[in-house]
C-alpha cells in the first residue's frame, strides 16, 4: 500500500483527498515506477478543484508528470533502476498520474533522464519547463533568433513563463516579461527579463493591428491576451502558444497573418513525438541554470497538494511547485 492523491466522483460532484492505494489497483502498463517527485501544474489544479472537466474517468490519481526509478519493466527500453521522467500522454486525466508513490504506465511514454539532472531537478523543470523548451525550439525553428528583436513572454511569473524567460535570456534573447503582478518585477528581472510589462495592457479588446513591437512571443494565456500579442507582432513575427490561462477563445482577425505574415505555432506537450521530447530534455540538461531553477521552486508534501492546488486558479503561484513523494529515491 502507498499514498496517493485520489479524485472521487459522487452524485453531488467530485472530491479530492489523500488516500491509500495498492499496487494491484494501478492501471495496466509495462513499466512500474517508484515515483520520487511530482509537481503541481495548472492542469492539475483544474483537475483537483473540479474547476474544469479535466478528469475523464474516476477514481483518478492526478499529476501530469513525475520523475522516478523503474521498479519493474517488461518494456525493452527500460530496466529496474533506470531513472525516468514522464510528461503528458493523458496521465492524470485518463490514466492514473504522478501524485502517488507508484505509477504503472506504458514505457513508450517515458523518457530516460539525461545525465547530470537529478530526479528532483527533473520535476523542478517538470512539464512547465519542458513546455517552455518546446516553445523556444519552435521560435528557433521558425527563424526567431537573438538578433531578431525582443521576445515577449506572457504569464512570465508562472512556471512556463519563468523558465522560458531563463532559457531565452541564456541564449541571448532580449525578453519582455508580462505579468499581472507587478510586485514580481524584481523576481522577473532576476530571471533575465529586460522589460516588465503590466498585463493590463493586454486584457482589453484592442485593434486588429497595433504598433509592431515583438519579433517573437511565448504565450500561456490565450484569449484576449493572445489576440493583443498577435496584433503587436513585427512583420513575420512568430508566436508559440501553449496555454489558456485567460480563456479558450481567440478574439482576433486575419490581419496579423495576411498583412504582417505572422506565424502562430501551437505547442502541445501531451502527445509530442518522442524525438522532440528527447531533444527538449537534453537541451534542458545543458542550458538551464539549475541554481536559478532551485531558487524559483517551492516544495510541498503530497499531503498538502489538495490545499495548495486552488492557488493556481487564484493567480498566486510564482515559479514552480515541487511535490515531494519519495525524496529518498533521489
Amino acid at each position: 500500500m502507498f499514498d496517493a492523491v485520489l479524485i472521487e466522483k459522487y452524485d453531488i460532484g467530485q472530491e479530492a483527498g489523500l488516500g491509500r492505494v495498492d499496487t494491484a489497483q494501478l492501471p495496466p502498463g509495462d513499466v512500474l515506477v517508484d515515483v520520487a517527485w511530482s509537481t503541481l501544474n495548472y492542469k492539475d489544479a483544474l483537475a483537483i478543484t473540479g474547476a474544469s472537466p479535466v478528469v475523464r474517468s474516476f477514481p483518478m490519481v492526478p499529476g501530469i508528470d513525475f520523475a522516478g526509478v523503474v521498479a519493474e519493466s517488461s518494456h525493452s527500453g527500460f530496466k529496474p533502476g533506470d531513472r525516468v521522467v514522464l510528461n503528458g500522454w493523458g496521465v492524470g486525466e485518463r490514466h492514473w498520474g504522478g501524485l502517488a508513490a507508484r505509477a504503472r504506465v506504458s514505457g513508450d511514454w517515458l523518457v530516460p533522464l539525461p545525465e547530470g539532472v537529478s530526479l528532483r531537478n527533473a520535476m523542478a523543470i517538470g512539464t512547465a519547463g519542458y513546455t517552455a523548451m518546446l516553445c523556444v525550439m519552435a521560435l528557433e525553428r521558425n527563424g526567431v533568433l537573438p538578433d531578431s528583436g525582443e521576445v515577449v513572454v506572457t504569464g512570465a511569473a508562472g512556471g512556463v513563463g519563468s523558465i522560458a524567460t531563463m532559457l531565452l535570456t541564456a541564449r541571448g534573447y532580449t525578453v519582455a516579461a508580462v505579468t499581472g503582478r507587478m510586485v514580481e518585477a524584481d523576481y522577473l528581472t532576476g530571471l533575465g527579463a529586460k522589460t516588465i510589462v503590466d498585463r493590463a495592457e493586454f486584457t482589453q479588446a484592442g485593434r486588429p493591428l497595433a504598433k509592431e513591437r515583438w519579433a517573437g512571443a511565448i504565450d500561456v494565456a490565450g484569449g484576449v491576451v493572445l489576440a493583443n500579442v498577435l496584433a503587436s507582432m513585427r512583420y513575420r513575427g512568430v508566436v508559440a502558444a501553449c496555454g489558456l490561462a485567460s480563456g479558450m477563445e481567440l478574439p482576433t482577425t486575419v490581419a496579423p497573418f495576411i498583412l504582417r505574415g505572422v506565424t502562430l505555432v501551437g505547442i502541445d506537450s501531451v502527445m509530442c513525438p518522442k524525438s522532440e521530447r528527447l531533444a527538449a530534455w537534453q537541451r534542458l540538461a545543458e542550458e538551464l541554470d539549475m541554481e536559478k531553477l532551485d531558487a524559483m521552486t517551492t516544495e510541498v508534501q503530497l499531503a498538502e497538494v489538495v490545499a495548495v492546488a486552488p492557488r493556481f486558479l487564484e493567480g498566486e503561484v510564482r515559479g514552480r511547485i515541487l511535490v515531494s513523494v519519495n525524496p529518498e529515491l533521489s
Side-chain angles (χ1 to χ4, degrees):
M1 300 288 289
F2 56 87
D3 288 338
V5 176
L6 279 170
I7 304 174
E8 302 274 7
K9 181 75 169 178
Y10 302 103
D11 291 340
I12 59 172
Q14 69 174 61
E15 182 177 357
L18 190 67
R20 296 285 287 172
V21 173
D22 190 283
T23 301
Q25 295 176 258
L26 292 171
D30 51 14
V31 181
L32 178 66
V33 180
D34 287 325
V35 176
W37 300 89
S38 187
T39 65
L40 271 176
N41 297 279
Y42 187 76
K43 187 179 286 187
D44 298 321
L46 293 175
I48 290 167
T49 62
S52 182
V54 169
V55 177
R56 304 304 181 187
S57 63
F58 297 88
M60 177 59 61
V61 174
I64 64 172
D65 51 17
F66 63 77
V69 178
V70 173
E72 300 173 6
S73 175
S74 59
H75 188 282
S76 60
F78 298 97
K79 64 183 185 304
D82 285 347
R83 301 181 317 134
V84 294
V85 62
L86 182 145
N87 307 97
W89 296 115
V91 167
E93 302 172 67
R94 298 183 300 274
H95 189 97
W96 283 17
L99 289 169
R102 302 195 105 179
R104 186 184 286 124
V105 297
S106 167
D108 292 340
W109 301 346
L110 296 171
V111 170
L113 200 59
E115 289 297 323
V117 179
S118 70
L119 292 170
R120 187 183 190 280
N121 280 342
M123 280 297 98
I125 296 168
T127 294
Y130 154 68
T131 301
M133 179 56 84
L134 292 178
C135 291
V136 172
M137 290 165 63
L139 295 183
E140 294 173 343
R141 189 167 60 246
N142 285 277
V144 180
L145 302 175
D147 61 358
S148 299
E150 199 167 22
V151 175
V152 64
V153 177
T154 66
V160 175
S162 293
I163 297 180
T165 299
M166 290 170 58
L167 290 169
L168 289 166
T169 299
R171 294 193 67 78
Y173 289 85
T174 301
V175 178
V178 177
T179 180
R181 294 171 284 167
M182 294 303 286
V183 294
E184 302 289 12
D186 289 345
Y187 165 74
L188 293 168
T189 301
L191 296 180
K194 291 293 189 290
T195 307
I196 311 300
V197 185
D198 193 331
R199 186 178 60 199
E201 294 186 25
F202 297 83
T203 55
Q204 301 299 315
R207 294 176 296 174
L209 286 177
K211 179 181 177 181
E212 295 185 44
R213 299 175 71 180
W214 327 110
I218 294 177
D219 176 67
V220 305
V224 70
V225 173
L226 176 55
N228 283 318
V229 167
L230 287 165
S232 301
M233 297 305 294
R234 294 185 182 181
Y235 182 71
R236 293 214 165 179
V238 179
V239 179
C242 64
L244 47 70
S246 290
M248 287 277 287
E249 74 285 350
L250 182 55
T252 189
T253 71
V254 298
F257 308 108
I258 66 173
L259 298 180
R260 290 187 183 162
V262 171
T263 297
L264 177 59
V265 183
I267 304 299
D268 167 47
S269 63
V270 177
M271 305 299 290
C272 181
K274 192 162 188 175
S275 59
E276 289 186 39
R277 291 172 181 269
L278 291 168
W281 273 101
Q282 188 57 47
R283 284 190 54 176
L284 285 162
E286 295 169 355
E287 299 178 24
L288 197 55
D289 184 329
M290 296 301 176
E291 289 188 5
K292 279 190 176 181
L293 178 67
D294 193 57
M296 56 173 274
T297 299
T298 301
E299 185 177 316
V300 301
Q301 302 301 307
L302 191 63
E304 300 175 273
V305 162
V306 173
V308 172
R311 291 174 50 197
F312 280 86
L313 310 185
E314 296 159 4
E316 296 179 357
V317 173
R318 172 208 273 186
R320 303 283 295 123
I321 294 186
L322 187 65
V323 180
S324 175
V325 182
N326 283 309
E328 65 274 9
L329 293 175
S330 298

